[in-house]
Amino acid sequence: MAATALGGLLLATACGSSDDGGGGGGGAKSAPGGQGFTPPKMSAPKSLGKTEGKVNLIAWAGYAEDGSNDPKVDWVHPFEKRTGCQVSTKVAGTSDEMVNLMKTGQYDAVSASGDASLRLIASGDAAPVNTDLVPNYRDVFPGLKMQPWNSVKKVAYGIPHGRGANLLMYRTDKVKPAPDSWKAVFDDAGRHKGRVTAYDSPIYIADAALYLMKTKPDLGIKDPYALDQKQFDAAVSLLKKQNANVGEYWSDYLKEVSAFKSGDSVVGTSWQVILNTAQGEKAPVKAVLPKEGSTGWSDTWMVSAKAEHPDCAYKWLDWIVSPKVNAQVAEYFGEAPANAKACEETSDPKHCATYHADDAAYWKKVHFWTTPIPQCLDGRTDTKCVPYAKWVQAWTEIKG
């Protein structure tokens, strides 16, 4: 690829929008024909050989459980027994950490979110994936396949793992009437000064952009991850105003549960698993997918271009998306599974309904995280969009 295109993207960071695709897919429309850049040239393997006996993973907490946190939660040891591939897992706390770890070449696969995946593709740290070598891929919801955060120019760069929406959660005893709009944390945030909470990440700028996309149509925002300078400045301005009312920016979901239980936070962005946990601990909370829609995340298992154990990595990709294991992970972590057949394997028969696993209409309202890059993802070619590096800088200014 051209050095300028690669450099522009690397100055940028993760998950995007999609077509309906059926079977539970959806999201905002992305740029037709791809993301406007060409990844470094490399090819996926055509076949697998003898497994190497080991695989090194980078994963979100809860994605590669081996029973050490809970003896009843273990899908690593069964994998090792079946394949002979011994698993070593590095738990990462942020997408930036995942990207940096992948650059070392010491890991074979990573469970990348959308705010990391395009960076890994553009830098050449993630390799194309031959989905034919992952038999369970065939049962992944069609709407999760070949999306802007896990493919480029019709080439797959990973296997979908699971997904979730960023919801608006509120204390039912403190926030009345019940909110149905992100207005509660933006224009109306002053009503709960010091007790508004927001997700602590530069990608949260997209939440403000989404709100403005619906409430300020004159700005012309079509995709919350494709913002020209004027649109970006408007989103940043909104977030700086919100900052005066934010009591806490959260990244640890257990801390958000505690904040809502204590009343330190009464309204803000959240996940379904946070809602479930808080309600399970008797906190008076509810959550809603607001009328403007929401941002969201879809995680993808990607293989390192420098993988020393690629055959074991492929075995892991197939294992983690197999129906029973994908069901276990989805329930433990709190997300919608990627494999449609996983819904038949969950211990809670209502899990897939709770997490809208196969609800295509629901996911149409979700704009999945996608790396902002200079090439506008909404299809515009007459302007440049603000890359992720500028989002990072702005986020520091927003928080003060």
Side-chain angles (χ1 to χ4, degrees):
M1 66 184 297
T4 53
L6 175 58
L9 181 54
L10 294 182
L11 283 177
T13 287
C15 289
S17 55
S18 73
D19 58 12
D20 182 4
K29 296 297 181 184
S30 183
Q35 296 90 336
F37 72 95
T38 301
K41 189 174 182 180
M42 64 181 82
S43 57
K46 291 182 172 57
S47 62
L48 298 180
K50 183 178 180 180
T51 53
E52 304 90 353
K54 183 178 182 180
V55 65
N56 297 323
L57 307 175
I58 305 168
W60 293 115
Y63 274 14
E65 291 297 300
D66 62 2
S68 57
N69 292 316
D70 183 341
K72 297 178 181 178
V73 181
D74 181 2
W75 44 86
V76 166
H77 286 111
F79 169 78
E80 293 175 334
K81 184 176 181 180
R82 172 174 292 198
T83 65
C85 300
Q86 298 301 304
V87 176
S88 177
T89 303
K90 169 66 175 178
V91 174
T94 67
S95 288
D96 284 350
E97 184 181 1
M98 287 184 170
V99 170
N100 291 332
L101 288 170
M102 281 287 280
K103 289 184 180 301
T104 68
Q106 299 175 15
Y107 299 91
D108 301 302
V110 60
S111 62
S113 291
D115 54 347
S117 53
L118 289 188
R119 283 189 289 172
L120 293 172
I121 295 170
S123 65
D125 290 309
V129 168
N130 183 347
T131 58
D132 290 341
L133 301 180
V134 184
N136 284 300
Y137 180 76
R138 65 177 176 268
D139 297 318
V140 168
F141 286 112
L144 281 173
K145 295 179 177 180
M146 303 301 290
Q147 297 303 328
W149 62 90
N150 59 30
S151 69
V152 175
K153 299 184 184 300
K154 300 182 180 180
V155 175
Y157 278 83
I159 303 299
H161 170 103
R163 56 182 164 177
N166 294 316
L167 305 174
L168 175 63
M169 190 163 84
Y170 60 96
R171 287 264 308 210
T172 57
D173 59 338
K174 302 293 184 181
V175 181
K176 297 180 180 180
D180 65 352
S181 165
W182 290 113
K183 183 179 181 182
V185 298
F186 290 123
D187 292 336
D188 289 349
R191 296 182 182 179
H192 306 287
K193 185 176 179 64
R195 293 193 293 171
V196 175
T197 187
Y199 187 55
D200 191 2
S201 171
I203 207 68
Y204 183 67
I205 294 172
D207 290 58
L210 174 64
Y211 179 65
L212 292 173
M213 183 169 74
K214 302 296 185 179
T215 59
K216 302 288 185 180
D218 55 305
L219 285 170
I221 298 173
K222 304 299 182 183
D223 183 328
Y225 307 101
L227 305 176
D228 62 32
Q229 194 64 55
K230 180 181 178 181
Q231 295 165 341
F232 183 77
D233 290 345
V236 170
S237 177
L238 180 61
L239 289 168
K240 286 182 176 178
K241 292 178 182 177
Q242 182 199 48
N243 174 261
N245 301 301
V246 172
E248 180 180 27
Y249 292 96
W250 68 273
S251 58
D252 183 332
Y253 81 90
L254 293 177
K255 289 184 178 179
E256 191 184 20
V257 171
S258 297
F260 270 89
K261 284 178 63 180
S262 67
D264 288 342
S265 294
V266 301
V267 65
T269 185
S270 187
W271 300 335
Q272 184 72 43
V273 65
I274 297 173
L275 172 69
N276 294 352
T277 303
Q279 288 180 334
E281 296 181 14
K282 308 304 181 184
V285 294
K286 288 185 178 180
V288 62
L289 185 74
K291 60 185 180 182
E292 298 90 0
S294 79
T295 58
W297 41 270
S298 174
D299 294 338
T300 302
W301 280 99
M302 309 179 80
V303 177
S304 171
K306 309 179 189 73
E308 294 183 15
H309 315 101
D311 295 319
C312 278
Y314 266 82
K315 292 294 184 183
W316 174 260
L317 265 57
D318 191 49
W319 173 258
I320 204 66
V321 78
S322 61
K324 186 174 181 180
V325 176
N326 203 225
Q328 289 178 295
V329 181
E331 285 196 280
Y332 183 72
F333 185 81
E335 63 187 353
N339 191 317
K341 290 186 176 179
C343 292
E344 303 168 10
E345 301 288 346
T346 55
S347 59
D348 176 5
K350 297 181 180 179
H351 179 85
C352 281
T354 298
Y355 287 85
H356 304 275
D358 59 354
D359 185 348
Y362 181 87
W363 297 114
K364 277 186 177 181
K365 303 173 185 177
V366 179
H367 298 251
F368 291 107
W369 288 344
T370 304
T371 305
I373 60 177
Q375 297 81 11
C376 295
L377 296 169
D378 58 7
R380 286 179 290 173
T381 57
D382 58 348
T383 188
K384 291 290 185 180
C385 280
V386 179
Y388 187 74
K390 299 296 184 181
W391 289 46
V392 174
Q393 294 173 11
W395 187 242
T396 300
E397 297 172 3
I398 288 165
K399 292 175 64 179

